[in-house]
Amino acid sequence: MNLVTLLPFIVLIGAMFLMTRSAKKKQQQAAQMRDTMTPGTGIRTIGGMYATVKELGDDTVTLEVAPGVHAIYAKMAIAAVLEDDEYNRIVHGTAAPADADSPVVPDDISSLTRDGAEAPEAGQSEKADKDAAEEPKLDLGKKDADGKGDGEGGAK
């Protein structure tokens, strides 16, 4: 056999080696991340639930999912160990201080109107009001002796 016929097999074996190597590396990083958990650490499970670590076992973790509510999970079910800032921001809604460069969004529409004019009601505008007033009403159907239009009035 020559080298040209063996080349596809060599490339295939090399690709398999690289894929298993990267998978092992990811598993080691996940295991190392789970080892950094201590009681009081905020975590996210693979199901997307946020909780606080209460107690660590060999293969299990006791999580406080709500005040006074504890659940036992497998350590493998922990997707991410969160920093305190990030956990508080997500769970408690504690916002980080605003950057000076970020735009300021007003709480209400009054600061967006010109010359202190009153803002229109939600879902309405001055142009829509003018258009509605100028639009003529059209009678699109003929009415027969019974007062029904085009045979459609009594249809169900």
Side-chain angles (χ1 to χ4, degrees), residues 72-134:
I72 299 173
Y73 277 77
K75 275 189 178 180
M76 299 298 289
I78 307 301
V81 177
L82 306 173
E83 294 181 16
D84 289 337
D85 306 355
E86 184 178 7
Y87 180 77
N88 289 330
R89 181 182 57 81
I90 294 169
V91 175
H92 303 296
T94 309
D99 296 336
D101 297 334
S102 64
V104 176
V105 179
D107 290 340
D108 60 356
I109 196 168
S110 65
S111 63
L112 298 176
T113 57
R114 285 183 233 122
D115 301 329
E118 283 211 18
E121 293 289 320
Q124 296 187 9
S125 67
E126 293 173 19
K127 185 177 183 327
D129 292 341
K130 288 179 185 175
D131 291 344
E134 293 174 4

Side-chain angles (χ1 to χ4, degrees), residues 128-145:
D129 292 341
K130 288 179 185 175
D131 291 344
E134 293 174 4
E135 186 175 315
K137 305 264 189 222
L138 298 177
D139 186 18
L140 299 176
K142 296 179 184 175
K143 297 193 178 190
D144 58 8

Side-chain angles (χ1 to χ4, degrees), residues 1-13:
M1 290 183 134
N2 60 13
L3 185 62
V4 175
T5 56
L6 291 177
L7 188 61
F9 294 112
I10 294 171
V11 169
L12 183 64
I13 291 171

